[in-house]
């Protein structure tokens, strides 16, 4: 009789495993994906977080919609702050990276332009660029068509 109980127990476990497997495989899966983005007007900062949850069974209760930003989102600027619509670099507002876009201007010359601007004030004319150490007449002539004030 003991052997019959063992056989019945094994059959019961196999049936139970089959029922559980049937329910797991036949129930619909529900995926939730949420994306949050933050955009500022000065620079574009995209923070994206994605959460994924998988559940089975009955659908969840009504969810609240995601919050909308209270301030209108403005379009990202098409050019850098120190570069105007014509593509010329403004010596008075250009960042280090903006200045480095000029042909022949690397890190040291770009920093020298910013240092001069900080110490001596804004450039009144494009010709004032020659007051920067390391920028002579020849360099200025090659930059003249690429810069503005």
């Amino acid at each position: 009789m003991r052997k019959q109980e063992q056989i019945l127990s094994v059959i019961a476990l196999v049936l139970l495993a089959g029922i559980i497997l049937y329910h797991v495989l036949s129930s619909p899966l529900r995926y939730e994906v949420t994306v949050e983005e933050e955009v500022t007007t000065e620079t574009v900062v995209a923070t994206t977080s994605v959460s994924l949850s998988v559940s089975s069974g009955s659908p969840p209760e009504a969810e609240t919609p995601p919050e909308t930003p209270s301030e209108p989102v403005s379009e990202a600027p098409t050019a850098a702050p120190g570069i105007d619509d014509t593509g010329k670099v403004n010596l008075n507002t250009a960042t280090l990276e903006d200045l480095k876009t000029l042909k022949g201007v690397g890190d040291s010359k770009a920093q020298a332009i910013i240092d001069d601007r900080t110490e001596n004030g804004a450039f009144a004319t494009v010709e004032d660029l020659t007051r920067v150490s390391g920028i002579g007449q020849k360099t200025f002539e090659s930059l003249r068509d690429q810069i503005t004030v």
Side-chain angles (χ1 to χ4, degrees), residues 9-33:
S9 294
V10 169
I11 292 173
L13 288 174
V14 169
L15 286 174
L16 183 61
I19 292 170
I20 291 172
L21 187 60
Y22 171 77
H23 282 289
V24 167
L25 295 176
S26 66
S27 64
L29 297 177
R30 187 177 66 93
Y31 296 94
E32 287 182 28
V33 176

Side-chain angles (χ1 to χ4, degrees), residues 1 10 14 20 24 34 38-39 42 55 60 62 78 83-84 90 94:
M1 182 136 267
V10 169
V14 169
I20 291 172
V24 167
T34 57
E38 176 184 337
V39 178
E42 294 178 14
S55 62
T78 55
I83 301 177
D84 68 10
N90 187 317

Side-chain angles (χ1 to χ4, degrees), residues 6 26 50 57 64 68 73 77 88 93 97 108-109 114 131 142:
Q6 288 177 344
S26 66
V50 177
T64 58
T68 56
V73 177
K88 291 186 176 184
T93 60
E97 294 302 316
S108 60
K109 283 186 183 177
I114 291 173
R131 74 182 188 205
S142 69

Side-chain angles (χ1 to χ4, degrees), residues 58-110:
S58 63
E61 296 177 8
E63 296 179 16
T64 58
E67 292 183 25
T68 56
S70 58
E71 297 179 9
V73 177
S74 67
E75 292 293 320
T78 55
I83 301 177
D84 68 10
D85 295 339
T86 63
K88 291 186 176 184
V89 175
N90 187 317
L91 296 175
N92 293 322
T93 60
T95 64
L96 184 73
E97 294 302 316
D98 296 336
L99 292 167
K100 286 174 30 180
T101 64
L102 295 170
K103 185 176 180 181
V105 176
D107 288 329
S108 60
K109 283 186 183 177

Side-chain angles (χ1 to χ4, degrees), residues 89-94 99 109-133 135 140 147-149:
V89 175
N90 187 317
L91 296 175
N92 293 322
T93 60
L99 292 167
K109 283 186 183 177
Q111 189 59 53
I113 294 170
I114 291 173
D115 292 343
D116 183 272
R117 181 176 69 197
T118 304
E119 293 170 11
N120 301 315
F123 296 95
T125 65
V126 290
E127 287 80 12
D128 287 345
L129 183 62
T130 58
R131 74 182 188 205
V132 176
S133 175
I135 298 184
F140 169 72
I147 57 176
T148 187
V149 291

